[in-house]
Amino acid sequence: MMKKKISLFLTALLFMGGINNAYAQYEDTENYDDDDEYEIVVTDKDGEEEIIELPEAMIEDVDSLLTLYHTKAYIQQDPDCNSTSESPEFDDDTYIERLSKLPTVMEMPYNEVVRKMIDRYVNRGRRQVSYMLGLANFYMPIFEEALESYGLPLELKYLPVIESALNPKAVSRVGATGLWQFMLNTGKRYGLQVNSLVDERCDPLRASYAAAQYMRDLYKIFGDWNLVIAAYNCGPENVNKAIHRSGGSRDYWEIYPYLPSETRGYVPAFIAANYVMNYYCEHGICPMVTDLSVKSDTVLVSRNLHFEQIANVCNVDIDMLRELNPQYRRDIVNGNTEPSLVRMPIETINAFIDNEDSVYNYRADELFSKRNTVDVPEVQTPARTYTRSSNSYSRQSSRHSARGNGMSSRHRQSAKSKHRKSRSKRAASQNVTIKKGETLSSIAKKHGTTVEKLKKMNKLKGSTIQTGKKLKVK
């Protein structure tokens, strides 16, 4: 199934994406504090405030994506679409009605958490939504074919919206990679090759089929699509723990309080993504339009090949080759290891076939500098010298290393051991002073941990912290 062929039109859609810099209409119109960047706050039925972490893709810096080759070359602003600087306000009944009209198998219920996620997209995330609507023209057909091949609900095509913001090169703070944000072990378990030269988690086609297979397997375990995408986020083990802690319920909204903080916002974010990708017009958001004039296809190579060889001999932009082949991490196609596919524009493929020998020979010795064999040099034995204090002899270098600092070997080892123990104790515990305006969420992100771990280390029952107090972060 992973080898299922996709039409040339769809592959052209997949790989010819981008966006220009005409974004003045989407500049932020509100001031946000730092806490708003990473979390939302909702009030539960008892009137208590609850902090929910946002999925990483929802706080993605869109500006960093605009430097990519395809974003500069193939997407542009729609001159016929008039966007607004702010989203209109709608009441709860309007959101409920719109969600109910989505043609989905999965339920799309509405509540305060879902509303907060929608508000995030249509207000602060307007620029990101416009970008993702442009990229959807390239990636959604691929997602749909992969999901359809495994009989999965097609609304799951919006899962990469909250996973990666449709960025095939996205890498999370814990190392999840690609459009579908596969962790290393999970990716390899579903057939994605990862080594020093190749990372197929960044391959939109292969990763989409691997993700569909993974979600099919999760559905066999849980039998509920909301639990499937919750497990996709935090792992099936954490979902099973939440099920047991809730008394055995298999309803996402029943096990909600027992899930990790980010996962509590994950299903609401998925619902919000389905909403905004369908009702963006109602919120005055213009999608970017795509230029599909350049088409691409693949060629199979059985020898090592460098992108510079193709670029220089076939006269093609090397940045385009990198965008078309994001799985190759160092511009090297390791055809010697196994036959490998390289995607190129159609006209470049013709030039490659006509000049194949010239391509492979171009600067080959320089670009592939790894040696297959090396000679072992002759070792020069140091001269041996006799000491005056005894009839025995020792190497000059050994005498200096043993006595050069005036300390015996035993004393030196003892000092090193004490230094290591002292350094270990310092690394084992680390406290910070809480500054004005900081929250558990912002402190956790700054120090590479989670809110739950901070609360456990500091024996905190709630999320309230006091300025000036010490907080253990490690």
Side-chain angles (χ1 to χ4, degrees):
M1 196 66 69
M2 290 285 289
K3 296 181 179 179
K4 182 176 179 180
K5 297 184 69 175
I6 292 183
S7 68
L8 184 60
F9 174 72
L10 291 184
T11 52
L13 284 176
L14 168 61
F15 290 105
M16 293 292 104
I19 195 167
N20 67 5
N21 292 320
Y23 263 125
Q25 68 206 52
Y26 289 120
E27 291 180 359
D28 290 337
T29 57
E30 299 181 45
N31 294 320
Y32 300 92
D33 58 40
D34 290 339
D35 294 345
D36 290 339
E37 185 175 355
Y38 307 112
E39 63 195 25
I40 60 172
V41 179
V42 297
T43 305
D44 63 22
K45 61 183 181 181
D46 298 321
E48 296 290 330
E49 286 191 344
E50 177 192 1
I51 296 175
I52 299 175
E53 294 182 35
L54 292 168
E56 281 190 55
M58 292 187 74
I59 55 176
E60 178 72 24
D61 182 7
V62 178
D63 288 341
S64 65
L65 303 177
L66 302 182
T67 60
L68 298 175
Y69 178 86
H70 65 276
T71 61
K72 293 184 290 186
Y74 296 108
I75 290 186
Q76 59 185 341
Q77 185 177 336
D78 185 354
D80 297 325
C81 181
N82 296 318
S83 67
T84 60
S85 60
E86 295 181 354
S87 172
E89 291 290 334
F90 298 103
D91 58 26
D92 290 345
D93 289 339
T94 300
Y95 286 114
I96 294 171
E97 180 184 7
R98 289 175 180 172
L99 285 169
S100 69
K101 289 182 177 180
L102 291 176
T104 63
V105 172
M106 301 172 63
E107 64 176 10
M108 299 285 165
Y110 177 82
N111 54 35
E112 184 187 4
V113 187
V114 173
R115 172 64 181 264
K116 287 291 181 77
M117 293 294 182
I118 293 175
D119 286 345
R120 173 77 184 202
Y121 273 129
V122 300
N123 290 305
R124 186 167 182 168
R126 296 173 69 78
R127 189 180 182 190
Q128 185 188 55
V129 171
S130 180
Y131 168 79
M132 291 189 296
L133 288 166
L135 286 180
N137 291 313
F138 314 125
Y139 296 120
M140 291 303 167
I142 303 303
F143 300 162
E144 289 174 349
E145 283 209 5
L147 295 168
E148 186 71 22
S149 69
Y150 283 93
L152 307 187
L154 293 185
E155 52 267 32
L156 289 168
K157 67 185 178 183
Y158 295 123
L159 199 59
V161 168
I162 61 171
E163 283 287 346
S164 62
L166 300 185
N167 176 11
K169 296 182 179 180
V171 179
S172 77
R173 62 176 177 267
V174 295
T177 300
L179 286 163
W180 293 89
Q181 290 289 279
F182 271 104
M183 293 296 289
L184 182 63
N185 290 337
T186 307
K188 287 188 171 183
R189 189 162 67 246
Y190 283 88
L192 298 179
Q193 183 181 173
V194 182
N195 55 47
S196 295
L197 298 179
V198 177
D199 189 345
E200 290 185 338
R201 295 177 296 173
C202 295
D203 185 325
L205 178 60
R206 291 186 178 274
S208 295
Y209 279 90
Q213 186 180 355
Y214 181 35
M215 288 187 286
R216 180 201 62 182
D217 292 346
L218 289 174
Y219 188 77
K220 291 178 181 177
I221 297 172
F222 296 108
D224 179 272
W225 287 113
N226 283 335
L227 296 185
V228 165
I229 61 176
Y232 193 96
N233 175 252
C234 67
E237 299 85 0
N238 284 320
V239 173
N240 275 325
K241 288 178 184 177
I243 290 172
H244 288 294
R245 289 169 180 166
S246 70
S249 173
R250 301 181 79 84
D251 184 328
Y252 171 83
W253 297 104
E254 292 291 332
I255 71 170
Y256 172 90
Y258 308 99
L259 290 167
S261 176
E262 184 178 326
T263 309
R264 291 200 297 272
Y266 194 73
V267 169
F270 173 72
I271 296 171
N274 272 266
Y275 174 90
V276 76
M277 297 298 280
N278 285 278
Y279 292 109
Y280 54 89
C281 278
E282 283 77 357
H283 292 270
I285 299 175
C286 286
M288 293 292 159
V289 295
T290 56
D291 178 5
L292 304 178
S293 59
V294 178
K295 292 181 171 61
S296 67
D297 205 344
T298 58
V299 62
L300 187 69
V301 299
S302 299
R303 296 164 58 183
N304 282 351
L305 185 64
H306 198 285
F307 286 169
E308 282 196 28
Q309 294 176 308
I310 307 172
N312 284 279
V313 177
C314 300
N315 193 28
V316 61
D317 193 324
I318 193 170
D319 287 330
M320 175 184 282
L321 293 173
R322 288 168 179 153
E323 291 299 321
L324 295 180
N325 300 275
Q327 68 271 30
Y328 295 115
R329 309 172 83 169
R330 290 172 172 81
D331 292 352
I332 296 175
V333 183
N334 52 328
N336 278 353
T337 303
E338 61 179 346
S340 302
L341 291 173
V342 185
R343 184 168 293 279
M344 311 176 197
I346 295 295
E347 60 273 18
T348 304
I349 290 181
N350 295 331
F352 177 84
I353 294 173
D354 293 340
N355 301 279
E356 192 165 354
D357 288 338
S358 298
V359 173
Y360 284 119
N361 292 329
Y362 178 81
R363 295 175 56 204
D365 291 340
E366 179 183 347
L367 294 171
F368 303 105
S369 58
K370 287 200 312 182
R371 297 172 294 180
N372 292 326
T373 63
V374 293
D375 294 328
V376 179
E378 182 180 351
V379 178
Q380 299 296 325
T381 305
R384 294 174 176 174
T385 58
Y386 287 88
T387 63
R388 294 181 180 180
S389 58
S390 68
N391 291 330
S392 63
Y393 63 87
S394 63
R395 297 184 190 275
Q396 189 73 19
S397 59
S398 298
R399 179 164 60 86
H400 280 289
S401 64
R403 304 179 183 274
N405 60 9
M407 185 184 295
S408 71
S409 175
R410 183 180 63 185
H411 288 164
R412 284 198 309 277
Q413 293 298 326
S414 176
K416 288 180 180 178
S417 177
K418 290 179 180 179
H419 177 67
R420 283 195 297 268
K421 289 180 180 178
S422 175
R423 185 173 59 188
S424 176
K425 287 180 179 179
R426 288 197 304 270
S429 177
Q430 182 180 344
N431 296 326
V432 298
T433 301
I434 301 169
K435 298 178 182 178
K436 185 177 180 180
E438 286 188 319
T439 65
L440 284 179
S441 179
S442 63
I443 294 173
K445 190 168 186 69
K446 182 178 179 181
H447 294 277
T449 183
T450 65
V451 172
E452 294 299 325
K453 288 182 180 179
L454 287 180
K455 292 168 70 174
K456 185 175 181 181
M457 281 190 290
N458 294 275
K459 298 180 180 179
L460 299 175
K461 293 183 179 179
S463 299
T464 302
I465 54 177
Q466 187 174 347
T467 302
K469 294 290 185 180
K470 294 288 186 180
L471 189 72
K472 186 182 293 184
V473 296
K474 187 181 289 186

